[in-house]
């Protein structure tokens, strides 16, 4: 098999991380594994394995003929059989297929919100889906949506996984007291809903119990992050809630924490939960998207409805108060992740799906 992953950017987002994870994991399993970033490079470029063939297209606009020609040349010279297009990169994949009909396109949908969108909102995607050989989805709601709306009938659920290899040197030291750190791994943007956790932290007076909250993720320095920073300043929580921006040494960061939180109002399949699990963190999570499949309430973590601040506070408080309960939840989650969402398990499913 000769396969190239296609992604629009290498910023540290969920779809982007999975494109890199797939390219890296396949490098040792198939004849050729490539990765093409179409529009923008980013911090994830440093995570690409040396055995992965990498190309940056420098695409400047939606219809960029020079970028299409560069991609075409790359496909032909490397005899690529399958283009695995993630999220919005399907557009250039279809344009290049028009010049190379034998190339198969597998489109991978990571966008959890799409399950609530209309056909009208996705009319270009739906029209171009006639050129897809297969559609991969990250949760069952997206599978149902694609089956109903897309012009490609071969829709396959492929769970996300966490990379087994730790590429980065430890460099980030979290502030706060060991054993009392809560970490929130998500870029600062909608629909990640950070403010819900900040409000719960304040209402529960967790700082008075020596707990600290650590936000790890890209800061876009926009209205969304201004709201968070203003909240921290207004309530004098500068010594208790910390923003670190985008970081590469995620495994090292998580090793310093005790609880992992996620409060999104929409999700596809958050890799964050898998990373929390492998790091042996106790998890308090939103119940949207695939979250409630990974996290079973009071079995391997605690779930809440992100529209309910009362429920959020109740679940976070429960996890904070009981040390033995936390350990039981974190151990159970780690076992689930290792057994069901390891690189080996998912890559075997992926290779079968390609065939």
């Amino acid at each position: 098999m000769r396969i190239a992953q296609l992604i629009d950017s290498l910023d540290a987002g969920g779809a982007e991380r999975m494109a890199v994870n797939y390219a890296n994991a396949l490098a040792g399993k198939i004849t050729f594994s490539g990765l093409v970033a179409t529009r923008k490079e980013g911090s994830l470029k440093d995570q690409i394995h040396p055995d992965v063939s990498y190309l940056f297209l420098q695409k400047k606009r939606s219809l960029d003929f020079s970028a299409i020609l560069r991609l075409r040349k790359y496909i032909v010279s490397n005899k690529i059989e399958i283009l695995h297009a993630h999220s919005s990169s399907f557009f250039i994949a279809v344009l290049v297929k028009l010049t190379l009909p034998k190339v198969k396109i597998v489109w991978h949908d990571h966008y959890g919100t799409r399950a609530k969108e209309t056909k009208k909102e996705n009319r270009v995607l739906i029209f171009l889906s006639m050129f897809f050989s297969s559609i991969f989805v990250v949760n069952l709601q997206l599978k149902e949506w694609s089956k109903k709306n897309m012009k490609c009938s071969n829709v396959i659920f492929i769970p996300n996984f966490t990379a087994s290899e730790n590429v980065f040197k430890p460099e980030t030291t979290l502030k706060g007291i060991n054993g009392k750190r809560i970490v929130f791994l998500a870029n600062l943007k909608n629909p990640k809903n950070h403010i819900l956790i900040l409000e719960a932290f304040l209402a529960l007076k967790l700082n008075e119990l020596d707990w600290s909250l650590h936000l790890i993720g890209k800061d876009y320095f926009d209205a969304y992050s201004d709201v968070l920073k203003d909240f921290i300043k207004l309530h004098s929580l500068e010594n208790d809630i910390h923003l670190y921006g985008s970081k590469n040494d995620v495994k090292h960061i998580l090793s310093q924490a005790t609880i992992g939180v996620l409060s999104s109002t929409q999700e596809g399949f958050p890799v964050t939960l898998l990373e929390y699990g492998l790091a042996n963190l106790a998890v308090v999570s939103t119940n949207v998207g695939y979250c409630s499949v990974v996290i079973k309430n009071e079995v391997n973590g605690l779930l809440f409805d992100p529209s309910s601040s009362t429920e959020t506070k109740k679940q976070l408080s429960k996890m904070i108060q009981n040390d033995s309960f936390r350990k039981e939840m974190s151990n159970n989650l780690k076992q689930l992740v290792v057994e069901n969402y390891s690189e080996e398990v998912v890559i075997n499913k992926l290779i079968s799906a390609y065939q």
Side-chain angles (χ1 to χ4, degrees):
M1 272 189 202
R2 304 183 69 84
I3 300 166
Q5 309 296 316
L6 196 60
I7 188 76
D8 279 339
S9 97
L10 288 175
D11 284 335
E16 293 82 0
R17 281 152 76 200
M18 287 316 302
V20 173
N21 283 355
Y22 283 131
N24 289 347
L26 287 168
K29 297 266 189 181
I30 61 176
T31 313
F32 176 90
S33 179
L35 176 67
V36 180
T38 69
R39 187 174 44 80
K40 186 185 175 190
E41 294 188 304
S43 60
L44 292 176
K45 184 182 176 183
D46 296 332
Q47 292 190 23
I48 300 169
H49 195 279
D51 291 342
V52 172
S53 167
Y54 173 67
L55 172 68
F56 176 42
L57 288 183
Q58 296 176 291
K59 182 171 172 260
K60 301 282 196 301
R61 60 196 76 83
S62 293
L63 206 60
D64 187 329
F65 291 107
S66 58
I68 295 165
L69 289 173
R70 278 193 293 275
L71 180 55
R72 188 185 193 282
K73 183 181 176 184
Y74 179 79
I75 292 167
V76 171
S77 62
N78 291 294
K79 300 183 177 69
I80 290 164
E81 301 159 330
I82 298 172
L83 267 183
H84 185 155
H86 297 264
S87 299
S88 51
S89 68
F90 69 87
F91 189 70
I92 193 171
V94 170
L95 293 178
V96 84
K97 181 178 171 65
L98 295 175
T99 75
L100 293 168
K102 287 186 179 178
V103 172
K104 290 182 179 178
I105 297 174
V106 169
W107 179 61
H108 205 139
D109 192 4
H110 299 265
Y111 183 53
T113 307
R114 196 181 321 278
K116 295 189 175 180
E117 289 183 348
T118 63
K119 288 177 76 169
K120 189 177 179 182
E121 289 171 286
N122 291 275
R123 56 186 181 274
V124 174
L125 170 65
I126 291 168
F127 174 70
L128 294 180
S129 67
M130 69 174 75
F131 295 101
F132 303 164
S133 297
S134 302
I135 294 171
F136 295 168
V137 294
V138 295
N139 67 39
L140 300 178
Q141 292 100 317
L142 289 174
K143 183 176 182 179
E144 189 179 324
W145 189 93
S146 279
K147 285 271 192 188
K148 183 181 175 185
N149 297 302
M150 299 287 267
K151 298 179 186 297
C152 170
S153 59
N154 191 31
V155 184
I156 304 165
F157 164 62
I158 303 285
N160 285 341
F161 71 95
T162 53
S164 56
E165 207 172 325
N166 193 0
V167 206
F168 292 101
K169 292 176 184 173
E171 49 185 40
T172 308
T173 302
L174 297 187
K175 296 161 187 173
I177 296 169
N178 195 31
K180 293 207 162 188
R181 297 190 189 103
I182 302 165
V183 70
F184 192 152
L185 179 61
N187 292 336
L188 306 189
K189 64 176 184 178
N190 279 320
K192 298 302 180 182
N193 198 23
H194 288 77
I195 194 67
L196 180 67
I197 297 298
L198 269 64
E199 288 170 345
F201 186 93
L202 174 70
L204 296 170
K205 299 181 179 178
L206 297 185
N207 57 323
E208 294 178 16
L209 300 171
D210 294 326
W211 284 86
S212 54
L213 177 61
H214 306 265
L215 310 186
I216 316 294
K218 185 172 181 179
D219 187 343
Y220 297 90
F221 298 97
D222 57 5
Y224 184 97
S225 73
D226 286 345
V227 167
L228 305 181
K229 291 165 190 172
D230 290 345
F231 182 92
I232 292 166
K233 191 173 181 182
L234 178 66
H235 299 288
S236 304
L237 291 168
E238 292 93 340
N239 295 323
D240 311 294
I241 300 178
H242 309 281
L243 282 73
Y244 296 80
S246 186
K247 294 290 179 183
N248 282 326
D249 57 333
V250 170
K251 289 186 180 179
H252 175 62
I253 288 169
L254 298 183
S255 73
Q256 301 169 62
T258 301
I259 293 173
V261 294
L262 190 67
S263 58
S264 315
T265 53
Q266 296 288 338
E267 277 291 351
F269 186 133
V271 187
T272 294
L273 293 183
L274 306 184
E275 291 175 317
Y276 287 166
L278 275 188
N280 214 25
L281 298 187
V283 170
V284 183
S285 169
T286 175
N287 62 6
V288 301
Y290 202 74
C291 298
S292 58
V293 179
V294 177
I295 305 295
K296 296 295 183 189
N297 198 48
E298 299 196 10
V299 174
N300 58 12
L302 292 175
L303 291 170
F304 60 83
D305 180 342
S307 66
S308 170
S309 59
T310 303
E311 201 175 303
T312 307
K313 286 182 285 191
K314 176 188 163 192
Q315 298 295 63
L316 187 56
S317 177
K318 183 172 184 176
M319 196 65 88
I320 290 282
Q321 288 171 7
N322 192 330
D323 186 48
S324 61
F325 178 74
R326 276 202 309 274
K327 285 175 181 169
E328 182 189 350
M329 294 300 100
S330 60
N331 289 339
N332 290 349
L333 180 58
K334 184 168 187 176
Q335 184 179 348
L336 175 97
V337 171
V338 169
E339 289 176 2
N340 296 280
Y341 305 106
S342 68
E343 181 176 308
E344 191 69 23
V345 169
V346 175
I347 290 300
N348 287 338
K349 283 184 185 176
L350 182 72
I351 291 171
S352 295
Y354 283 142
Q355 293 166 341

